[in-house]
Amino acid sequence: MSEIWGVLAAVFSSALGGTSIGATRYLVGTLDPLAIGSFRFGIGFILLLPLVMLRRESWPSRRDWLAVAALGVLFFTLFPILFNASLIFTTAARGALALSTLPLLTMLVGAALGSEALSLRKTAGVLIAMSGVALALLTGLASAPPGAWRGDLLMAAAALCMALYSIWSKPFIRRTGPIPFTTMAMGVGALCLIAISCLRGSFAPVSDFAAAQWLAVLYLGAFGSALTFYLWSFALERASPTRVAISVTVNPISASLVGAGLLHEPLSFNLMAGIVTVFIGIWIATAKGAAATPRGGLARP
């Protein structure tokens, strides 16, 4: 039952992440990737910190500080730079498809590190869910700007960062809980992004921000950062990295549904078929069935 809640939290986290793609695409024309990441995770840290204080939860132990800081830089500094930069070169549809390689990368890396055994059921579920993403985005994939492959590669690199974070962070989340771990890691990552942004003068365009741009920034911080990554850590505490990672295939689906609801974009047959296929893949990969059990402890960074 605990693992079911973990998978549901991961699906909700990925759905929120999908809505964040729209906000990022809106800002990327006026603000560079460093500044967008600084706002997103800086605001997220500010919102999560009072929760840790009010709940009087323990921070990660001193012996874990270096590892937590390294994971924070990996996921909350390098990941957003790659993610946001990719959307400069490629379309949202192609970027979402590249990000959907996350469960496959997580499964392969987890098997290589000995943290999670491969199984036919999980492999089939991951591949079916990824094919559902491709089906849902079929129309958007046809149109690509020149050099879109650069953005696709950047997004695949971002997915690899997320895969490594999902595998390596699990033991620390189990020891300290999702909120303290996420808050500390996010704080370190945000601090690095803010420092680099200040050196590069990345915040200069902020003086010309309109209300809509500030709303996009606040949305990214509150929902696209604090809530999204709390739920992701909550899920990793309860489910295996691959079962959590496969939920990212919901990401482009939710982005498409938001576009249909807010921008009145049509809901095509391939989108509806893709949604069904994605959830079938998630069910196959996350259902217990004959899934193999992990082969041992998770590797630490």
Side-chain angles (χ1 to χ4, degrees):
M1 191 64 191
S2 177
E3 190 162 27
I4 291 173
W5 282 113
V7 171
L8 289 175
V11 169
F12 188 33
S13 172
S14 295
L16 285 172
T19 65
S20 299
I21 290 180
T24 301
R25 285 282 291 171
Y26 177 73
L27 290 169
V28 81
T30 54
L31 204 58
D32 77 12
L34 289 166
I36 294 173
S38 298
F39 276 120
R40 183 176 183 178
F41 298 119
I43 293 172
F45 172 75
I46 290 171
L47 293 175
L48 286 176
L49 184 60
L51 286 179
V52 181
M53 310 299 281
L54 289 172
R55 291 160 61 107
R56 297 183 179 179
E57 296 189 79
S58 300
W59 293 101
S61 62
R62 186 168 297 181
R63 67 188 178 93
D64 290 339
W65 282 2
L66 183 60
V68 173
L71 287 167
V73 171
L74 174 68
F75 193 39
F76 296 108
T77 302
L78 185 56
F79 172 81
I81 291 175
L82 293 170
F83 180 93
N84 296 338
S86 75
L87 295 176
I88 297 174
F89 300 105
T90 192
T91 63
R94 290 173 65 100
L97 184 61
L99 187 62
S100 74
T101 61
L102 173 64
L104 183 61
L105 289 171
T106 303
M107 186 171 60
L108 295 176
V109 172
L113 296 178
S115 64
E116 188 177 356
L118 287 172
S119 74
L120 182 60
R121 188 184 188 99
K122 278 191 294 188
T123 304
V126 166
L127 294 176
I128 290 171
M130 288 177 63
S131 68
V133 173
L135 179 61
L137 302 175
L138 199 57
T139 304
L141 292 174
S143 57
W149 61 269
R150 292 178 293 176
D152 300 338
L153 286 179
L154 286 171
M155 189 64 85
L160 179 60
C161 290
M162 197 170 183
L164 291 170
Y165 173 86
S166 297
I167 293 167
W168 282 336
S169 64
K170 192 172 177 68
F172 303 108
I173 294 171
R174 280 178 172 167
R175 285 202 288 270
T176 63
I179 296 181
F181 171 82
T182 302
T183 304
M184 178 176 279
M186 187 181 291
V188 171
L191 188 61
C192 292
L193 283 173
I194 291 168
I196 300 171
S197 296
C198 288
L199 289 173
R200 287 174 52 88
S202 300
F203 293 116
V206 172
S207 59
D208 298 322
F209 266 19
Q213 290 162 314
W214 279 116
L215 284 173
V217 164
L218 291 173
Y219 180 85
L220 280 176
F223 296 96
S225 178
L227 183 56
T228 293
F229 293 106
Y230 162 69
L231 289 170
W232 193 260
S233 294
F234 176 91
L236 286 171
E237 187 182 25
R238 290 162 174 79
S240 71
T242 297
R243 288 193 170 99
V244 172
I246 196 175
S247 71
V248 83
T249 52
V250 174
N251 189 299
I253 302 297
S254 67
S256 300
L257 291 175
V258 168
L262 298 182
L263 304 176
H264 307 293
E265 297 173 353
L267 286 175
S268 60
F269 171 77
N270 58 288
L271 174 61
M272 302 308 295
I275 291 172
V276 173
T277 306
V278 163
F279 280 101
I280 289 173
I282 291 175
W283 176 79
I284 290 173
T286 57
K288 286 292 184 180
T293 55
R295 291 180 298 173
L298 292 171
R300 290 182 58 173

